[in-house]
Amino acid sequence: MTEKQLKIRQQAFALSLCTLVFMGVYNFCTWYASSLDFVPSFTFDFEKSIPFVPLSIIPYMASGLFFCLVFFSCKNKNQLKILTWRMLFVTVTAGIFFIAVPLRFSFAKPEVSHHILNLPFSFLKAFDSPFNQSPSLHIAFAFIFWSVFKDLSKWRIFLMIWLILLGISTLTTYQHHFIDILNGAILAHISFIIIPYRKHDPEYRNLRLANYYLLSGWILISAALLLNQYIGREGLMVLLPAILMIGIGYNLQKR
């Protein structure tokens, strides 16, 4: 058996393992939430102005393709191992929250008249559920996908733009509320801290430190919006240190 064949087998095994765990966790949590008499929702006031954009279903559905592609984009065994552990950690942790704090999507989804775009929405209606909302696995996975895609020499910019569109589409397809996106980002960065890449390599020290700043930034953004929701606009002052934390984290990543 050649090294290339061994690598492909390992990548296929990692993909299969993460897929099986995801399906098991997601379906069990859906069954649990659907068995409850009442499942609440949480929305911020500004979410009422978010438009429904049928075309955004295209980047939204691409998450499944990226889920498969990312395992075969790993450059070495260590990167594949870290990716696998992060995917498993995020999936299982999100499942715990889906059961402990079940939430559902609360906005009525408009009818899609375009017959082609209606197909993926019909698929979602049949196989997805309004539960398993927070944290958003679409968002958590997108951050983890980027941790691998950013090292690619080709298609890097294209994949970055597509992942950004994917993140936006979770809102504009009426699949997630904003709190789900924030919690998905927080969960992803917790996975980066708990399962670091090249933990003992000093060249990656800035990257590991950046994750602490970025995690702090996402938590502060969540705090600012919650304070604004329940106390008043003065709560938005917390956005200032949040932006500072994210700026520092971004700069450390670049270095």
Side-chain angles (χ1 to χ4, degrees), residues 128-149:
D128 205 353
S129 75
F131 309 114
N132 300 345
Q133 290 289 299
S134 189
S136 166
L137 281 175
H138 263 74
I139 297 298
F141 286 160
F143 276 103
I144 294 175
F145 296 160
W146 179 243
S147 71
V148 175
F149 290 157

Side-chain angles (χ1 to χ4, degrees), residues 27-161:
N27 289 328
F28 176 79
C29 293
T30 297
W31 168 82
Y32 172 78
S34 61
S35 69
L36 299 176
D37 294 330
F38 174 72
V39 178
S41 298
F42 181 89
T43 61
F44 293 108
D45 293 338
F46 66 84
E47 292 185 60
K48 297 174 183 178
S49 61
I50 295 176
F52 176 73
V53 183
L55 195 61
S56 62
I57 191 64
I58 297 175
Y60 182 84
M61 296 298 288
S63 181
L65 175 62
F66 290 156
F67 190 103
C68 300
L69 180 64
V70 70
F71 290 93
F72 297 95
S73 299
C74 292
K75 294 184 176 182
N76 53 63
K77 294 179 182 179
N78 183 54
Q79 189 176 39
L80 178 63
K81 181 183 74 172
I82 296 300
L83 169 67
T84 304
W85 278 114
R86 285 174 175 175
M87 294 287 281
L88 292 173
F89 171 80
V90 161
T91 301
V92 173
T93 304
I96 293 172
F97 278 92
F98 294 158
I99 292 174
V101 191
L103 294 173
R104 67 178 296 151
F105 190 80
S106 60
F107 293 169
K109 189 174 297 184
E111 290 294 327
V112 179
S113 57
H114 195 285
H115 62 282
I116 295 179
L117 292 178
N118 187 51
L119 292 176
F121 279 104
S122 298
F123 174 84
L124 284 179
K125 186 176 181 180
F127 295 99
D128 205 353
S129 75
F131 309 114
N132 300 345
Q133 290 289 299
S134 189
S136 166
L137 281 175
H138 263 74
I139 297 298
F141 286 160
F143 276 103
I144 294 175
F145 296 160
W146 179 243
S147 71
V148 175
F149 290 157
K150 67 181 176 61
D151 293 331
L152 299 178
S153 57
K154 296 181 179 180
W155 303 101
R156 182 176 179 271
I157 299 300
F158 172 80
L159 290 169
M160 178 184 68
I161 294 172

